Amino acid sequence: MLLSSATPALAQEKQPPYWASIASGEAMTHTGPGRNYPNVWLYQRRDLPVRVVKKYETWRLIQDPDGEQGWMLVTMLSDRRTAMVKPGDTRPIRTGRSDDSKIHYLAQPGVVGRISKCKGDGWCRIEIGKKDGYIQTSDLWGVAANEVVD
């Protein structure tokens, strides 16, 4: 669901900070909240998780996984929950919500997946392509450690 004037009021009324994802294959950030401000960066990665840190009218100041910030039109953002596997080693995607669960597959750093079923227990269900399983929230950028996501 895109966050636009046609979306429910709840999406427009979220107060920063909150998580979102890039809704389009191409989305530009600017140095300020308007098209008249210089461009900062062109994102070409749909579903990339971002942190909304401030809002101004139809613009949102976002922070990307590298810590870079810029203003983006709200229509370029989605409230679809995604997360990125943090840099470092490959991370295990397990069949259940514990370290004792069987490893289903390994996810490479930088891979983005859709998350759900985060119960505040340090685990989330992640879908990467056609594969799914459970990953520790500490291995992800795009979800807080004890956050609940349905």
Side-chain angles (χ1 to χ4, degrees):
M1 170 172 56
L2 295 179
L3 301 178
S4 68
S5 58
T7 59
L10 180 65
Q12 288 292 326
E13 294 174 7
K14 278 187 180 178
Q15 293 302 312
Y18 63 89
W19 297 102
S21 59
I22 295 181
S24 174
E26 289 192 351
M28 182 68 69
T29 55
H30 298 265
T31 59
R35 292 183 195 267
N36 55 326
Y37 288 92
N39 296 339
V40 175
W41 191 257
L42 175 64
Y43 290 89
Q44 295 180 306
R45 191 166 185 190
R46 183 185 175 115
D47 287 339
L48 181 74
V50 294
R51 185 92 166 143
V52 175
V53 295
K54 192 183 273 189
K55 66 183 199 175
Y56 178 78
E57 296 178 1
T58 60
W59 291 85
R60 302 296 179 263
L61 180 61
I62 63 156
Q63 180 178 21
D64 70 18
D66 293 328
E68 299 297 322
Q69 292 189 354
W71 288 90
M72 186 176 285
L73 262 173
V74 71
T75 56
M76 296 288 104
L77 297 172
S78 169
D79 55 6
R80 177 184 306 118
R81 290 302 302 270
T82 64
M84 176 184 282
V85 176
K86 287 182 178 177
D89 298 325
T90 58
R91 301 307 204 293
I93 308 299
R94 298 184 179 274
T95 57
R97 306 177 76 82
S98 79
D99 287 324
D100 296 331
S101 296
K102 180 181 173 189
I103 295 176
H104 188 43
Y105 61 98
L106 297 174
Q108 295 291 324
V111 168
V112 172
R114 294 185 182 182
I115 59 166
S116 63
K117 299 182 183 174
C118 305
K119 297 183 179 182
D121 62 355
W123 292 88
C124 286
R125 181 173 179 271
I126 190 165
E127 295 175 42
I128 302 171
K130 295 183 186 259
K131 294 182 176 183
D132 67 352
Y134 292 89
I135 187 169
Q136 290 185 1
T137 56
S138 60
D139 289 337
L140 297 172
W141 191 89
V143 62
N146 296 318
E147 186 178 359
V148 174
V149 178
D150 293 325

